[in-house]
Amino acid sequence: MPTAIVHRVPRRPHAWWGLLLLSQLLVAALWWGLGWAVGLPLMLASHAVFWWGVLKADSGLFSPVLVRLPVADKRLWLTIDDGPSEDTAAILDLLDAHGAKATFFVVGARAQARPEALRAIVRRGHGVGNHSHSHPQAWFWALGPARMRAQVAQAQAVLTEIGGVAPRWFRAVVGMANPFVSAPLREHGLARVAWSARGFDAIAAEPAAVVARVERDLAPGAIVLMHEGARHGRNVEALALLLQRLDALGYRTVLPEHLAPDLQPTPPVGAT
């Protein structure tokens, strides 16, 4: 297996400013020299690139993002977003029954409301990731630097205090990470994680349809996105069906921190 780094903390969180400035200077020069017929489309195209970086969950334009584990066999990373919730206890029992491990991307405020659920996740050998403090799904993508820093920092402090272990992974709300997320990720030694297989179970209620969508994108090293606590109330059913299907297909779950030594996380920022 080739050497690979899975835990990539942003090294230059403000580099995008230079890219933005250079692109707009180029557009202005071409507009001045060639007129609006050239300059206007180029301006729109340059802005579209930055919007793509925000709206596409696996875009690495503003910070490194992990989309797949570098393994060649039937191992995958199961991730569960939006907890803790009233589903957490049943999900933990399901995972134990299948000998599976998952990383729970947890919302800080929800962990404060259900601290014992977070402690149970850690106690039973699962991972905990940072998924913002209040999960502002309608406008996370539009947060300015101060509010973005607060969302990451508050969740990190709460999850560390309650769970006893500082998260090393971060998932943007709805996957949309704007340029201002990189600085707080670097500050807290967090690496951003997206996904490569999802069933849309946060909104889709039918477990069979959810699992069918996930299965279409299964491959060695897949990062599977699931949810808990959705309003339709069927996340546990969907996960149960998915775990049965993974067993039937011969897939095993793995946490990144349990991979081979050459795939271990990079040292925290500032470490010697």
Side-chain angles (χ1 to χ4, degrees), residues 91-142:
I91 286 174
L92 290 173
D93 289 342
L94 267 175
L95 294 170
D96 282 352
H98 287 266
K101 295 298 180 186
T103 295
F104 289 74
F105 282 90
V106 174
V107 178
R110 296 173 189 173
Q112 287 178 313
R114 300 175 185 268
E116 286 305 318
L118 178 59
R119 294 187 187 107
I121 290 170
V122 175
R123 185 173 62 248
R124 292 166 78 163
H126 303 285
V128 173
N130 184 324
H131 193 42
S132 83
H133 187 67
S134 65
H135 200 266
Q137 63 183 33
W139 42 271
F140 182 84
W141 62 273

Side-chain angles (χ1 to χ4, degrees), residues 173-206:
V173 179
V174 200
M176 298 180 184
N178 72 25
F180 302 119
V181 77
S182 296
L185 295 191
R186 177 176 172 80
E187 181 179 345
H188 296 284
L190 290 161
R192 187 159 66 93
V193 180
W195 56 81
S196 57
R198 67 185 301 188
F200 294 93
D201 60 320
I203 55 175
E206 177 51 51

Side-chain angles (χ1 to χ4, degrees), residues 1-142:
M1 181 185 301
T3 299
I5 297 174
V6 297
H7 188 272
R8 297 176 62 201
V9 175
R11 292 185 177 182
R12 293 176 292 276
H14 304 296
W16 65 276
W17 277 109
L19 178 61
L20 175 62
L21 179 61
L22 287 174
S23 69
Q24 298 314 295
L25 286 174
L26 177 60
V27 167
L30 291 172
W31 195 320
W32 181 272
L34 301 177
W36 70 268
V38 173
L40 179 60
L42 283 176
M43 182 189 72
L44 296 175
S46 67
H47 289 187
V49 169
F50 284 89
W51 277 109
W52 172 81
V54 171
L55 300 177
K56 199 167 189 308
D58 59 356
S59 168
L61 182 63
F62 303 122
S63 65
V65 58
L66 182 65
V67 180
R68 185 180 299 277
L69 295 181
V71 299
D73 56 358
K74 283 190 170 183
R75 287 181 292 171
L76 56 79
W77 185 9
L78 177 61
T79 65
I80 302 172
D81 282 14
D82 296 354
S85 71
E86 61 183 11
D87 293 338
T88 304
I91 286 174
L92 290 173
D93 289 342
L94 267 175
L95 294 170
D96 282 352
H98 287 266
K101 295 298 180 186
T103 295
F104 289 74
F105 282 90
V106 174
V107 178
R110 296 173 189 173
Q112 287 178 313
R114 300 175 185 268
E116 286 305 318
L118 178 59
R119 294 187 187 107
I121 290 170
V122 175
R123 185 173 62 248
R124 292 166 78 163
H126 303 285
V128 173
N130 184 324
H131 193 42
S132 83
H133 187 67
S134 65
H135 200 266
Q137 63 183 33
W139 42 271
F140 182 84
W141 62 273

